[in-house]
mmCIF file of all heavy atoms in Angstrom:
data_model
loop_
_atom_site.group_PDB
_atom_site.id
_atom_site.type_symbol
_atom_site.label_atom_id
_atom_site.label_comp_id
_atom_site.label_asym_id
_atom_site.label_seq_id
_atom_site.Cartn_x
_atom_site.Cartn_y
_atom_site.Cartn_z
ATOM 1 N N GLN A 88 61.030 123.732 125.848
ATOM 2 C CA GLN A 88 61.226 125.158 125.769
ATOM 3 C C GLN A 88 61.268 125.746 124.395
ATOM 4 O O GLN A 88 61.170 126.926 124.143
ATOM 5 C CB GLN A 88 62.468 125.671 126.582
ATOM 6 C CG GLN A 88 62.315 125.675 128.052
ATOM 7 C CD GLN A 88 62.320 124.273 128.703
ATOM 8 O OE1 GLN A 88 62.936 123.380 128.264
ATOM 9 N NE2 GLN A 88 61.258 124.017 129.544
ATOM 10 N N GLY A 89 61.598 124.887 123.425
ATOM 11 C CA GLY A 89 61.825 125.344 122.057
ATOM 12 C C GLY A 89 62.601 124.305 121.222
ATOM 13 O O GLY A 89 62.733 123.166 121.618
ATOM 14 N N PHE A 90 63.274 124.870 120.254
ATOM 15 C CA PHE A 90 64.145 123.904 119.585
ATOM 16 C C PHE A 90 65.443 124.694 118.975
ATOM 17 O O PHE A 90 65.341 125.923 118.793
ATOM 18 C CB PHE A 90 63.403 123.265 118.266
ATOM 19 C CG PHE A 90 62.766 124.181 117.306
ATOM 20 C CD1 PHE A 90 63.488 124.706 116.241
ATOM 21 C CD2 PHE A 90 61.412 124.412 117.433
ATOM 22 C CE1 PHE A 90 62.923 125.558 115.340
ATOM 23 C CE2 PHE A 90 60.721 125.223 116.477
ATOM 24 C CZ PHE A 90 61.531 125.886 115.420
ATOM 25 N N THR A 91 66.430 123.835 118.732
ATOM 26 C CA THR A 91 67.655 124.424 118.156
ATOM 27 C C THR A 91 68.005 123.581 117.026
ATOM 28 O O THR A 91 68.055 122.409 117.023
ATOM 29 C CB THR A 91 68.874 124.402 119.178
ATOM 30 O OG1 THR A 91 68.485 125.194 120.324
ATOM 31 C CG2 THR A 91 70.131 125.052 118.532
ATOM 32 N N ILE A 92 68.266 124.316 115.887
ATOM 33 C CA ILE A 92 68.629 123.721 114.638
ATOM 34 C C ILE A 92 70.076 123.976 114.263
ATOM 35 O O ILE A 92 70.287 125.350 114.165
ATOM 36 C CB ILE A 92 67.712 124.022 113.429
ATOM 37 C CG1 ILE A 92 66.263 123.549 113.855
ATOM 38 C CG2 ILE A 92 68.127 123.306 112.145
ATOM 39 C CD1 ILE A 92 65.275 124.094 112.870
ATOM 40 N N VAL A 93 70.951 123.153 114.059
ATOM 41 C CA VAL A 93 72.312 123.511 113.578
ATOM 42 C C VAL A 93 72.401 123.226 112.012
ATOM 43 O O VAL A 93 72.074 122.170 111.634
ATOM 44 C CB VAL A 93 73.373 122.663 114.307
ATOM 45 C CG1 VAL A 93 74.842 123.009 113.806
ATOM 46 C CG2 VAL A 93 73.353 122.912 115.825
ATOM 47 N N ILE A 94 72.910 124.295 111.341
ATOM 48 C CA ILE A 94 72.913 124.143 109.864
ATOM 49 C C ILE A 94 74.398 124.253 109.550
ATOM 50 O O ILE A 94 75.113 125.184 110.016
ATOM 51 C CB ILE A 94 72.107 125.240 109.136
ATOM 52 C CG1 ILE A 94 70.681 125.179 109.624
ATOM 53 C CG2 ILE A 94 72.249 125.170 107.696
ATOM 54 C CD1 ILE A 94 69.764 126.321 109.190
ATOM 55 N N ALA A 95 74.955 123.336 108.707
ATOM 56 C CA ALA A 95 76.352 123.335 108.251
ATOM 57 C C ALA A 95 76.517 122.721 107.017
ATOM 58 O O ALA A 95 75.702 121.950 106.529
ATOM 59 C CB ALA A 95 77.059 122.542 109.368
ATOM 60 N N PRO A 96 77.681 122.933 106.350
ATOM 61 C CA PRO A 96 78.002 122.269 105.174
ATOM 62 C C PRO A 96 78.353 120.745 105.471
ATOM 63 O O PRO A 96 78.645 120.479 106.635
ATOM 64 C CB PRO A 96 79.212 122.994 104.612
ATOM 65 C CG PRO A 96 79.484 124.156 105.437
ATOM 66 C CD PRO A 96 78.707 123.984 106.724
ATOM 67 N N GLY A 97 78.351 119.969 104.438
ATOM 68 C CA GLY A 97 78.581 118.514 104.742
ATOM 69 C C GLY A 97 79.979 118.128 104.883
ATOM 70 O O GLY A 97 80.875 118.943 104.807
ATOM 71 N N ALA A 98 80.137 116.848 105.031
ATOM 72 C CA ALA A 98 81.481 116.257 105.088
ATOM 73 C C ALA A 98 82.101 115.744 103.853
ATOM 74 O O ALA A 98 83.160 115.119 103.738
ATOM 75 C CB ALA A 98 81.468 115.118 106.193
ATOM 76 N N GLY A 99 81.361 115.971 102.687
ATOM 77 C CA GLY A 99 81.983 115.538 101.424
ATOM 78 C C GLY A 99 83.040 116.414 100.821
ATOM 79 O O GLY A 99 83.406 117.402 101.536
ATOM 80 N N THR A 100 83.436 116.051 99.758
ATOM 81 C CA THR A 100 84.543 116.997 99.113
ATOM 82 C C THR A 100 84.089 117.198 97.646
ATOM 83 O O THR A 100 83.225 116.567 97.103
ATOM 84 C CB THR A 100 85.882 116.199 99.060
ATOM 85 O OG1 THR A 100 85.689 114.919 98.293
ATOM 86 C CG2 THR A 100 86.321 115.859 100.472
ATOM 87 N N SER A 101 84.779 118.114 97.008
ATOM 88 C CA SER A 101 84.571 118.420 95.587
ATOM 89 C C SER A 101 85.905 118.269 94.784
ATOM 90 O O SER A 101 86.973 118.153 95.475
ATOM 91 C CB SER A 101 84.142 119.799 95.407
ATOM 92 O OG SER A 101 82.835 120.005 95.922
#
Side-chain angles (χ1 to χ4, degrees):
Chain A
Q88 284 71 45
F90 58 82
T91 299
I92 299 169
V93 177
I94 298 169
T100 63
S101 293

